[in-house]
Amino acid sequence: MQSLHLIRRPRASGIGKAANIAIPVAIAALAAGAAYAGADTTFTPALTKFTDFLEGSGGKIITVLSLAGGLIGLASGRFSLSQVAVPVGVGIGVGTGVPIVTSVVTAVI
């Protein structure tokens, strides 16, 4: 019976490893164009609608559904801290998270 012998490639030295990383990084840096934040208003209407939805009735609906899921889990006889903590976290995240994320994204750097 014949067996397959794989040929071992010599391992790259320290300089070879550095070149394997540095060359793609250098190519990416040279090929990258300038990015201007805040100059484009393409997605402003969609962002406004989504933000209004989450801060308004949509956020309340998401919070109530999360709370209902926690209450159903409690009614089934098993108790877990996550059944209380997740709805509270969702409510806080929807209520205060949207303005925080929006202000971070639209911040002037």
Side-chain angles (χ1 to χ4, degrees):
M1 179 162 59
Q2 294 181 356
S3 62
L4 178 66
H5 294 286
L6 298 176
I7 300 172
R8 289 189 175 216
R9 289 182 17 188
R11 295 219 178 240
S13 64
I15 295 172
K17 288 180 183 178
N20 286 340
I21 295 171
I23 291 173
V25 170
I27 291 171
L30 292 173
Y36 299 102
D40 188 22
T41 60
T42 303
F43 298 107
T44 301
L47 176 65
T48 303
K49 284 188 181 228
F50 188 68
T51 302
D52 292 344
F53 174 75
L54 284 180
E55 289 178 343
S57 60
K60 291 177 185 172
I61 290 171
I62 292 169
T63 304
V64 168
L65 289 175
S66 178
L67 182 61
L71 290 176
I72 290 171
L74 287 172
S76 69
R78 57 183 173 90
F79 178 76
S80 173
L81 183 61
S82 66
Q83 293 168 342
V84 177
V86 168
V88 171
V90 168
I92 292 171
V94 169
T96 61
V98 175
I100 291 170
V101 171
T102 304
S103 65
V104 168
V105 170
T106 59
V108 177
I109 297 175

